[in-house]
Amino acid sequence: MSNKPDYQKAYEILDEALGDAIHILQKARLRTKLNLRLSTGELTAEDEEAPELYVEAAREYAGHCK
């Protein structure tokens, strides 16, 4: 058995952790954006624009995953 570090495995773990961090930050950013717009009255629960914000966030997240 080799004592040599498994750099490939470490890279894969780091890559997965970065992907998870990006996902968490995107969700937090979207929630903050929605909460700010709701609290100021700029956006209401009945507003038809709300689903578009989710689509926009999904596209941004997908762009980071490439």
Side-chain angles (χ1 to χ4, degrees), residues 9-64:
K9 184 65 176 172
Y11 174 81
E12 290 170 2
I13 291 169
L14 178 59
D15 190 52
E16 183 179 346
L18 287 172
D20 291 346
I22 288 169
H23 182 72
I24 291 166
L25 290 171
Q26 286 288 23
K27 284 174 58 176
R29 185 173 105 32
L30 177 62
R31 283 186 183 158
T32 301
K33 187 175 184 178
L34 286 172
N35 285 338
L36 283 172
R37 293 182 73 186
L38 285 169
S39 68
T40 62
E42 181 183 348
L43 184 69
T44 65
E46 293 81 27
D47 198 330
E48 292 180 12
E49 183 184 355
E52 287 301 316
L53 294 174
Y54 287 100
V55 171
E56 175 188 337
R59 285 187 183 133
E60 288 177 13
Y61 175 69
H64 287 289

